[in-house]
Amino acid sequence: MNIHRLIPTLPLTAHWCLWRSCEGAMLAWTLCVAPAQAQVRASAPPQAQPAALAMAAPPPSPTPAAPLQPLPAGVELGMGADALREAVPGAARVSRPQRVAGGLTGLWRLEPVVIAGVSGAQTFFFGGRELRRVEFVADASDQADGGAAAFGAMLAFGRSTYGLETAANDPSGSYAAWTHGGLEVYAQRVPAPRATVRWVIKQSEGKDASEL
């Protein structure tokens, strides 16, 4: 039976009673169903957040740049090997030590080291049991200017720290040297056959700068 066709034929009192009954039923349905829906939504577990961001690997760290200074931080000429290793824990023993004038032997090396914008190696030379020389050498062949800018930075630092250089030019490349107290310092750039820049600090031996 269609209730919509029945309602217009009922007396007014019956019509009013039927309408109140329907209204009460709708109110009861709302009071029963709505709280249940709210309870279901409240008890639902929160959506898990994607773990991709939390698991993303950090970017690799670039090679740290060492400041251009007379000696690496914590290093002093005259110190022993144990003190050097404590000051420069990243230094490694050289398998085939290099020997230079004065009987000095390069026993320890730190690399890579970036100084004045070029990456190279820092070698620590000992005479007997004492550190006598620290030498930084970098291959600048991959630099567009062949290491000219790096040598310029070394030259500017030497002049600002020690004054004007005592020797400035060498036929095979650019060269500058300073004598300060008991130290001999020099910067060098060799353009050929392979562009190289060098920064050396050593104990003074009373020699002319050209013999460094």
Side-chain angles (χ1 to χ4, degrees), residues 21-70:
S21 298
C22 292
E23 187 179 36
M26 289 295 295
L27 179 61
W29 180 86
T30 301
L31 293 177
C32 293
V33 174
Q37 290 178 338
Q39 184 176 2
V40 170
R41 284 194 296 266
S43 60
Q47 293 184 351
Q49 297 298 324
L53 293 179
M55 299 298 293
S61 301
T63 302
L68 185 54
Q69 55 189 0

Side-chain angles (χ1 to χ4, degrees), residues 2-204:
N2 192 334
I3 191 170
H4 294 286
R5 298 181 58 186
L6 175 64
I7 290 177
T9 63
L10 295 176
L12 181 61
T13 301
H15 185 281
W16 183 84
C17 291
L18 179 60
W19 177 258
R20 294 293 294 176
S21 298
C22 292
E23 187 179 36
M26 289 295 295
L27 179 61
W29 180 86
T30 301
L31 293 177
C32 293
V33 174
Q37 290 178 338
Q39 184 176 2
V40 170
R41 284 194 296 266
S43 60
Q47 293 184 351
Q49 297 298 324
L53 293 179
M55 299 298 293
S61 301
T63 302
L68 185 54
Q69 55 189 0
L71 287 169
V75 174
E76 297 179 359
L77 295 181
M79 70 191 326
D82 291 340
L84 173 67
R85 294 182 64 185
E86 184 176 348
V88 189
R93 182 85 179 190
V94 178
S95 58
R96 295 182 178 179
Q98 176 189 0
R99 296 183 182 275
V100 297
L104 305 183
T105 307
L107 298 177
W108 297 88
R109 180 173 297 150
L110 178 66
E111 61 181 333
V113 177
V114 177
I115 294 180
V118 290
S119 178
Q122 218 164 26
T123 305
F124 303 89
F125 291 81
F126 282 78
R129 297 183 177 181
E130 294 184 354
L131 178 65
R132 299 289 183 86
R133 175 186 178 115
V134 179
E135 178 177 345
F136 169 78
V137 180
D139 181 354
S141 59
D142 60 343
Q143 302 285 317
D145 61 357
F151 177 77
M154 295 175 180
L155 182 61
F157 175 83
R159 287 174 175 173
S160 65
T161 305
Y162 307 113
L164 293 178
E165 59 273 19
T166 56
N169 295 307
D170 187 278
S172 62
S174 304
Y175 183 88
W178 298 265
T179 301
H180 180 77
L183 293 179
E184 291 175 354
V185 181
Y186 78 86
Q188 183 181 30
R189 173 178 174 258
V190 179
R194 192 176 186 86
T196 304
V197 292
R198 189 185 307 267
W199 176 255
V200 178
I201 302 97
K202 62 191 291 288
Q203 286 184 339
S204 178

